[in-house]
Amino acid sequence: MGLKGSEVEQFPDFVKPLERGMVFNFACHKGLSCFTECCRLLELPLTSYDILRLRRATGLSSNQFLERYVIIEQEQDEAFPRLYLTMIDDGNGSCAFVASHGCTVYEHRPGACRAYPVGRAKRLQPETIDECFVLVKEDHCRGFTEPAPQTATQYCIDQGMTEYNMFNDALATLLQHEKVRCGFIPSQAQKELILLTLFHLDRWRAMLAQGEHEAISSETALAMGQRTDEELLLFAIKWLEERLFG
Ligand code: SF4
Ligand code: SF4
């Protein structure tokens, strides 16, 4: 999808629209003078799937992970919470997972880290899905000096974004639901349900396995209590959509 002129004007100078198939040079690797410099002073948003993967990397429970590594913001006038990875107080505002040799959770790093310097936006329309890409071209990033031709699509595939995009697109059915666009604000009980089902998969699984959820048939609850985190997250998204907007 091409960006409309008015949309292009919204981007700062270092963010360039990337038409489908447009080629740019980029490679990130050890040895570059900027290596790991971009893992500091970040406002790094986390999705439900990012949390699922980072919990897998750290082996922590959802409670432990969220308490140790995540800032949760819930604005009064927003339907869903915003989650960010905490930066540590080491004088550089570093990501908790960065080391001199690189990212210590590389296999499970968040989608935003994988996709950088490519940004992908997807907007659900009644009949279609709009997808567009941008290139974030910051001066400190030496990756653009590398002779490595890329397209946005291929770069995202190479960085393992396919699975992340699938889960994030599923989540977009909630975040961009028509009722949300029309100002829907969940009750306090619904907000707690959103946090539980999207970000505390282990707690929710335990509740389901013990038949502790009155709004789900015991048969379904017991079955879902045995499923993988990925299956449980997709179930949660569908179930929340019905529960909040049905
Ligand atoms: S090349 Fe860019 S993405 Fe890679 S470490 Fe340097 S600043 Fe970060
Ligand atoms: S998770 Fe890894 S790639 Fe992302 S900011 Fe932290 S150290 Fe860097």
Side-chain angles (χ1 to χ4, degrees), residues 53-61 64-65:
R53 293 288 297 264
L54 285 170
R55 274 194 50 227
R56 192 164 286 158
T58 57
L60 296 175
S61 71
Q64 290 169 328
F65 184 81

Side-chain angles (χ1 to χ4, degrees), residues 94-153:
S94 304
C95 171
F97 299 120
V98 72
S100 57
H101 59 275
C103 177
T104 58
V105 290
Y106 189 78
E107 284 302 309
H108 299 286
R109 67 198 185 284
C113 305
R114 286 169 191 271
Y116 186 87
V118 173
R120 171 181 180 264
K122 200 161 184 177
R123 183 171 299 168
L124 303 183
Q125 303 291 1
E127 304 294 332
T128 56
I129 296 172
D130 286 348
E131 182 184 49
C132 66
F133 293 100
V134 293
L135 193 63
V136 180
K137 210 165 177 184
E138 295 173 288
D139 289 344
H140 66 262
C141 179
R142 308 310 301 158
F144 293 101
T145 62
E146 296 292 290
Q150 313 279 346
T151 62
T153 306

Side-chain angles (χ1 to χ4, degrees), residues 13-76:
D13 283 350
F14 61 90
V15 179
K16 315 281 185 201
L18 261 183
E19 297 293 344
R20 191 172 290 280
M22 192 183 278
V23 175
F24 59 96
N25 278 306
F26 184 82
C28 172
H29 54 82
K30 268 186 212 169
L32 290 173
S33 59
C34 58
F35 189 61
T36 73
E37 281 306 308
C38 54
C39 299
R40 305 176 204 290
L41 296 174
L42 291 173
E43 192 170 86
L44 184 51
L46 297 174
T47 66
S48 303
Y49 188 63
D50 287 330
I51 304 260
L52 182 163
R53 293 288 297 264
L54 285 170
R55 274 194 50 227
R56 192 164 286 158
T58 57
L60 296 175
S61 71
S62 53
N63 265 344
Q64 290 169 328
F65 184 81
L66 293 175
E67 271 179 25
R68 200 173 296 178
Y69 293 117
V70 179
I71 295 167
I72 302 177
E73 291 180 359
Q74 175 72 67
E75 299 294 340
Q76 288 303 317

